Amino acid sequence: MTVAARIEKLRSEIRHHEHLYHVLDAPEISDAQYDALMHELKRLEAAHPELLTPDSPTQRVGGKPAEGFRKAAHSRPMLSLDNAYNADELADWDRRVRELAGNLPVEYTAELKLDGLSVALRYEPAPGGGARLALGLTRGDGQIGEDVTSNIRTIRSVPLSITTERLQKARLAQGKAFEVRGECVMPEAAFERTNEEREREGLPAFVNPRNSAAGTVRTLDPSIVATRGLVFFAYFLLVDGEYCAAGQTATLDALTALGFRVNPHRGRVDSVADMVKFIEDAEKKRATLGYEIDGIVLKVDNHQTQQRLGYTGRAPRWAIAYKFTAESAITQVEDILITVGRSGKLTPTAMLRPVFVGGVTVSRATLHNADFIERMGLLIGDWVKVERGGDVIPKVVEVVEDQDHPRGNRRFSYPSECPECHNPVVREEGEADWRCVNADCPAKLRESLLHFGSRGVMNIEGLGDAAVQQLLDRGLVKSVADLYSLTEEQLVELERFAEKSARTLLNEIERSKKAGLARVLMGLGIRFVGERTAELLAQEFGSIDAVMAASAEELERVEEVGPRISEAILEFFSRPANRTLIERLKEAGMVMTAEKKQRSTQFAGLTFVLTGALPTLTRDEAKQKIEAAGGKVAGSVSKKTSYVVAGEDAGSKLDKARELKIPVLDEVGLLALLQSPPTQA
Ligand code: IVH
């Protein structure tokens, strides 16, 4: 046997055993035997680097830690699901489905709703036949995700390559790209192990397995991801951006045939009574699954029926998530503390006697604002019901009073001054929150610095609570801009700072200068300007100067920016202190420009008329696509109409189009036109 043949044989054996172990949970060889196969393969590949391929099982952890994640567009938006919370809501949904389905078959599949994060995996034809993993994307905003391929590759239940035989078994065409979507979850045991490790390293614990899975998939070092024991369950399959199977049951079977792990707890249900039974069974199994679920997902099985039902803007009409109700516990409010945020907002927090609820120990819960405390009539010492739903943050829902739970006795008086700078606090008309309006309040500065350095903003590693507090205490930093003139001599003076950590922090600060305009806009802490808005502003205006010079009207031309946001932006830049801050950041060498998005002119001058129901796009989605390409959408057909886009049950508009000899497109035609611009003047 040649070396090349031996290598191929080892790879195929290892893949087979990985599939048995990580997908089917049915290993046939011992860990030691598996290690021996791996060891031999590694040795041969090291001796023959020319035979190494990226889909070799040895290459799950390859390459270096990433600097950050590249973004990439989804082939089709990753949508969300509408929710139902009880049998009545399921019955309403069932009725709507049957109405819209007309004479098409209505049967449902029931699956567990896995509590992790959804990812999309793109497979491309491999040179020697079969397919291999080319891209792994997080959901992101649904349109654009983050390229986390090197992390996904480390997950053992994700096949790196798929053989021709498997493609055949799943009835997928050879030589075509396809996409698998599903949920990445962290099993409870792996979650506990991860937190123990973090505790040893002095890092904050993850609050639950979902956060832990999400944090892990977005870790920059794949070798860490490889140790975290993530599992991928597949539930969707798209070929050329389209569903390819006859329905959801067929999809799950095809995914199984491809070698993916498909959650075994699934079934067919045909009535609301069946759904309720499936839910009850799932609730019983919940504690013993080993991973977390937060409900079940019901999907119309038949693909044709799915197409007829279509989508609302955010979710398919043919699926619904039944959410388990939140878990709750009773505990005592030991104190109420006030924290000051970077906008000066005062937030009361209940300090609770620690209690175990929904899988985690809770010792504090937000009380939102003064009105909330007032409305509940909450006293310090009261017993309260605390709920933790699918969401991470625990909520205080009501005061409990009975024989075992006597009322508290201490009224909480809302402070009239800021607990940090002792200036009077104010509450504006119509606002729920009290605010400290002192521009020099140290709490605001501290929170602004923490926000500026945080992940997702400037991402300055080492600029945590302790470092920021010391910088403030020593008067080294009085504004975000001062970070950029810190020196190594100043930093080594700080507690817990050695030469190395000082240099690392300075490097991190230096690196942040290149974060780009969107991050700067976010980092400034302008009210209501979060990641997406900052990104859109950066793309539209291309420089901080252009943003600062923009009028309300110009700002509001940006998608998602309304009067509330434009006013906040104008207010921010009208303050001299903020303008000085920008000047100083510029002087420090901060990059404050971005590439302006080219407005598409592909459909410039073209007018479209939409009529009838399109198979997958809603009217709004089709309109958005046309407008994004520079075209116009009109309500009625005339000689000026360039194209009529017709779906099912198109009426008189279609007749009119034929009469006037105007070209008629179906959805596929429209999408094709969007890909290849028409050659017309
Ligand atoms: S199907 C078009 N099936 O729940 C929507 N989603 O609340 C496709 N999820 O974003 C979703 N288990 O991350 C589907 N068996 C399952 C699921 C599932 C968990 C997640 C998914 C989705 C979220 C919506």
Short mmCIF file of all heavy atoms in Angstrom, two decimals, residues 113-145:
data_model
loop_
_atom_site.label_atom_id
_atom_site.label_comp_id
_atom_site.label_asym_id
_atom_site.label_seq_id
_atom_site.Cartn_x
_atom_site.Cartn_y
_atom_site.Cartn_z
N LYS A 113 -36.75 22.41 21.05
CA LYS A 113 -36.14 23.71 20.79
C LYS A 113 -34.86 23.78 21.61
O LYS A 113 -34.89 23.93 22.83
CB LYS A 113 -37.10 24.83 21.17
CG LYS A 113 -36.55 26.20 20.83
CD LYS A 113 -37.68 27.19 20.74
CE LYS A 113 -37.25 28.63 20.90
NZ LYS A 113 -35.94 29.02 20.54
N LEU A 114 -33.76 23.60 20.92
CA LEU A 114 -32.46 23.50 21.59
C LEU A 114 -31.99 24.89 21.98
O LEU A 114 -32.10 25.83 21.20
CB LEU A 114 -31.47 22.86 20.62
CG LEU A 114 -31.96 21.50 20.09
CD1 LEU A 114 -31.34 21.17 18.76
CD2 LEU A 114 -31.66 20.43 21.12
N ASP A 115 -31.50 25.01 23.20
CA ASP A 115 -31.14 26.34 23.70
C ASP A 115 -29.65 26.59 23.49
O ASP A 115 -28.85 26.43 24.41
CB ASP A 115 -31.52 26.43 25.18
CG ASP A 115 -31.68 27.87 25.62
OD1 ASP A 115 -31.64 28.76 24.74
OD2 ASP A 115 -31.84 28.10 26.82
N GLY A 116 -29.30 26.96 22.29
CA GLY A 116 -27.89 27.25 21.99
C GLY A 116 -27.83 28.42 21.06
O GLY A 116 -28.57 29.37 21.23
N LEU A 117 -26.95 28.35 20.06
CA LEU A 117 -26.96 29.42 19.06
C LEU A 117 -26.99 28.79 17.68
O LEU A 117 -26.42 27.73 17.46
CB LEU A 117 -25.75 30.36 19.22
CG LEU A 117 -24.42 29.89 18.71
CD1 LEU A 117 -23.54 31.09 18.43
CD2 LEU A 117 -23.76 29.01 19.76
N SER A 118 -27.71 29.46 16.78
CA SER A 118 -27.84 28.85 15.46
C SER A 118 -26.64 29.21 14.60
O SER A 118 -26.14 30.33 14.67
CB SER A 118 -29.15 29.24 14.80
OG SER A 118 -29.39 30.60 14.96
N VAL A 119 -26.21 28.26 13.82
CA VAL A 119 -25.11 28.51 12.89
C VAL A 119 -25.45 27.90 11.53
O VAL A 119 -26.26 26.99 11.43
CB VAL A 119 -23.75 27.95 13.38
CG1 VAL A 119 -23.25 28.67 14.60
CG2 VAL A 119 -23.81 26.47 13.62
N ALA A 120 -24.84 28.46 10.51
CA ALA A 120 -25.04 27.98 9.13
C ALA A 120 -23.71 27.45 8.62
O ALA A 120 -22.68 28.11 8.77
CB ALA A 120 -25.52 29.13 8.26
N LEU A 121 -23.73 26.24 8.07
CA LEU A 121 -22.50 25.63 7.58
C LEU A 121 -22.60 25.46 6.07
O LEU A 121 -23.55 24.85 5.58
CB LEU A 121 -22.31 24.24 8.21
CG LEU A 121 -22.43 24.17 9.73
CD1 LEU A 121 -22.25 22.74 10.20
CD2 LEU A 121 -21.41 25.08 10.39
N ARG A 122 -21.64 26.01 5.35
CA ARG A 122 -21.68 25.88 3.90
C ARG A 122 -20.70 24.80 3.46
O ARG A 122 -19.54 24.80 3.88
CB ARG A 122 -21.33 27.20 3.25
CG ARG A 122 -22.17 27.47 2.02
CD ARG A 122 -22.00 28.88 1.52
NE ARG A 122 -22.74 29.85 2.29
CZ ARG A 122 -22.57 31.18 2.18
NH1 ARG A 122 -21.65 31.65 1.34
NH2 ARG A 122 -23.26 32.01 2.91
N TYR A 123 -21.17 23.87 2.65
CA TYR A 123 -20.32 22.81 2.10
C TYR A 123 -20.17 23.03 0.62
O TYR A 123 -21.13 23.38 -0.07
CB TYR A 123 -20.93 21.44 2.37
CG TYR A 123 -20.76 21.02 3.82
CD1 TYR A 123 -21.64 21.46 4.79
CD2 TYR A 123 -19.70 20.22 4.22
CE1 TYR A 123 -21.47 21.12 6.12
CE2 TYR A 123 -19.51 19.86 5.55
CZ TYR A 123 -20.40 20.32 6.49
OH TYR A 123 -20.23 19.98 7.81
N GLU A 124 -18.95 22.83 0.13
CA GLU A 124 -18.69 23.00 -1.29
C GLU A 124 -18.14 21.72 -1.88
O GLU A 124 -17.55 20.92 -1.15
CB GLU A 124 -17.71 24.16 -1.50
CG GLU A 124 -18.45 25.47 -1.40
CD GLU A 124 -17.55 26.69 -1.36
OE1 GLU A 124 -16.32 26.53 -1.52
OE2 GLU A 124 -18.11 27.78 -1.15
N PRO A 125 -18.32 21.53 -3.20
CA PRO A 125 -17.80 20.31 -3.81
C PRO A 125 -16.31 20.18 -3.53
O PRO A 125 -15.58 21.16 -3.63
CB PRO A 125 -18.05 20.53 -5.30
CG PRO A 125 -19.09 21.59 -5.38
CD PRO A 125 -18.98 22.41 -4.16
N ALA A 126 -15.88 18.97 -3.17
CA ALA A 126 -14.45 18.76 -2.91
C ALA A 126 -13.78 18.32 -4.21
O ALA A 126 -14.43 17.69 -5.05
CB ALA A 126 -14.28 17.69 -1.85
N PRO A 127 -12.50 18.66 -4.37
CA PRO A 127 -11.80 18.32 -5.62
C PRO A 127 -11.93 16.85 -6.03
O PRO A 127 -12.23 16.55 -7.17
CB PRO A 127 -10.35 18.68 -5.33
CG PRO A 127 -10.39 19.63 -4.19
CD PRO A 127 -11.66 19.38 -3.43
N GLY A 128 -11.80 15.94 -5.05
CA GLY A 128 -11.84 14.53 -5.43
C GLY A 128 -13.22 13.91 -5.37
O GLY A 128 -13.36 12.70 -5.27
N GLY A 129 -14.28 14.70 -5.40
CA GLY A 129 -15.65 14.18 -5.25
C GLY A 129 -16.12 14.40 -3.82
O GLY A 129 -15.31 14.69 -2.93
N GLY A 130 -17.41 14.28 -3.57
CA GLY A 130 -17.95 14.54 -2.24
C GLY A 130 -17.95 16.04 -1.97
O GLY A 130 -17.85 16.84 -2.88
N ALA A 131 -18.08 16.39 -0.68
CA ALA A 131 -18.14 17.81 -0.35
C ALA A 131 -17.31 18.08 0.88
O ALA A 131 -17.04 17.17 1.66
CB ALA A 131 -19.59 18.20 -0.08
N ARG A 132 -16.91 19.35 1.04
CA ARG A 132 -16.24 19.66 2.30
C ARG A 132 -16.65 21.00 2.88
O ARG A 132 -17.09 21.89 2.17
CB ARG A 132 -14.74 19.52 2.16
CG ARG A 132 -14.07 20.52 1.29
CD ARG A 132 -12.61 20.11 1.26
NE ARG A 132 -11.80 21.00 0.46
CZ ARG A 132 -10.60 20.68 0.01
NH1 ARG A 132 -10.09 19.49 0.27
NH2 ARG A 132 -9.90 21.54 -0.69
N LEU A 133 -16.49 21.09 4.19
CA LEU A 133 -16.92 22.28 4.92
C LEU A 133 -16.11 23.48 4.45
O LEU A 133 -14.88 23.47 4.49
CB LEU A 133 -16.70 22.08 6.42
CG LEU A 133 -17.05 23.28 7.31
CD1 LEU A 133 -18.54 23.58 7.25
CD2 LEU A 133 -16.64 23.03 8.76
N ALA A 134 -16.81 24.54 3.97
CA ALA A 134 -16.10 25.70 3.46
C ALA A 134 -16.29 26.91 4.36
O ALA A 134 -15.43 27.77 4.46
CB ALA A 134 -16.58 26.03 2.06
N LEU A 135 -17.44 26.98 5.04
CA LEU A 135 -17.73 28.20 5.80
C LEU A 135 -18.69 27.89 6.94
O LEU A 135 -19.66 27.15 6.76
CB LEU A 135 -18.37 29.23 4.85
CG LEU A 135 -18.69 30.61 5.42
CD1 LEU A 135 -17.41 31.34 5.79
CD2 LEU A 135 -19.46 31.43 4.40
N GLY A 136 -18.43 28.46 8.10
CA GLY A 136 -19.36 28.37 9.23
C GLY A 136 -19.68 29.78 9.68
O GLY A 136 -18.78 30.55 10.00
N LEU A 137 -20.96 30.14 9.68
CA LEU A 137 -21.36 31.50 10.04
C LEU A 137 -22.29 31.50 11.24
O LEU A 137 -23.18 30.66 11.34
CB LEU A 137 -22.13 32.15 8.89
CG LEU A 137 -21.40 32.59 7.63
CD1 LEU A 137 -22.39 33.26 6.70
CD2 LEU A 137 -20.29 33.55 7.99
N THR A 138 -22.13 32.49 12.12
CA THR A 138 -23.11 32.68 13.19
C THR A 138 -24.33 33.36 12.58
O THR A 138 -24.28 33.86 11.45
CB THR A 138 -22.59 33.61 14.30
OG1 THR A 138 -22.29 34.88 13.70
CG2 THR A 138 -21.35 33.03 14.96
N ARG A 139 -25.41 33.43 13.34
CA ARG A 139 -26.62 34.04 12.82
C ARG A 139 -26.40 35.54 12.60
O ARG A 139 -26.90 36.09 11.64
CB ARG A 139 -27.75 33.82 13.82
CG ARG A 139 -29.03 34.44 13.41
CD ARG A 139 -30.15 33.99 14.35
NE ARG A 139 -31.42 34.45 13.86
CZ ARG A 139 -31.89 35.66 14.11
NH1 ARG A 139 -31.21 36.52 14.83
NH2 ARG A 139 -33.08 36.02 13.65
N GLY A 140 -25.67 36.18 13.49
CA GLY A 140 -25.45 37.63 13.37
C GLY A 140 -26.78 38.35 13.44
O GLY A 140 -27.62 38.01 14.26
N ASP A 141 -26.99 39.30 12.52
CA ASP A 141 -28.28 39.99 12.54
C ASP A 141 -29.31 39.28 11.65
O ASP A 141 -30.36 39.82 11.34
CB ASP A 141 -28.11 41.45 12.11
CG ASP A 141 -27.62 41.57 10.67
OD1 ASP A 141 -27.47 40.53 10.00
OD2 ASP A 141 -27.39 42.70 10.22
N GLY A 142 -28.96 38.06 11.21
CA GLY A 142 -29.90 37.33 10.36
C GLY A 142 -29.54 37.48 8.88
O GLY A 142 -29.78 36.57 8.09
N GLN A 143 -28.97 38.62 8.52
CA GLN A 143 -28.57 38.85 7.14
C GLN A 143 -27.07 38.59 6.99
O GLN A 143 -26.63 38.00 6.02
CB GLN A 143 -28.80 40.32 6.73
CG GLN A 143 -30.21 40.82 6.97
CD GLN A 143 -31.14 40.34 5.90
OE1 GLN A 143 -30.72 39.88 4.86
NE2 GLN A 143 -32.44 40.41 6.17
N ILE A 144 -26.32 39.07 7.98
CA ILE A 144 -24.87 38.97 7.93
C ILE A 144 -24.39 38.32 9.22
O ILE A 144 -24.80 38.72 10.31
CB ILE A 144 -24.25 40.37 7.77
CG1 ILE A 144 -24.61 40.90 6.37
CG2 ILE A 144 -22.75 40.34 7.96
CD1 ILE A 144 -24.15 42.28 6.10
N GLY A 145 -23.56 37.29 9.06
CA GLY A 145 -23.07 36.60 10.25
C GLY A 145 -21.56 36.73 10.35
O GLY A 145 -20.92 37.35 9.50
#
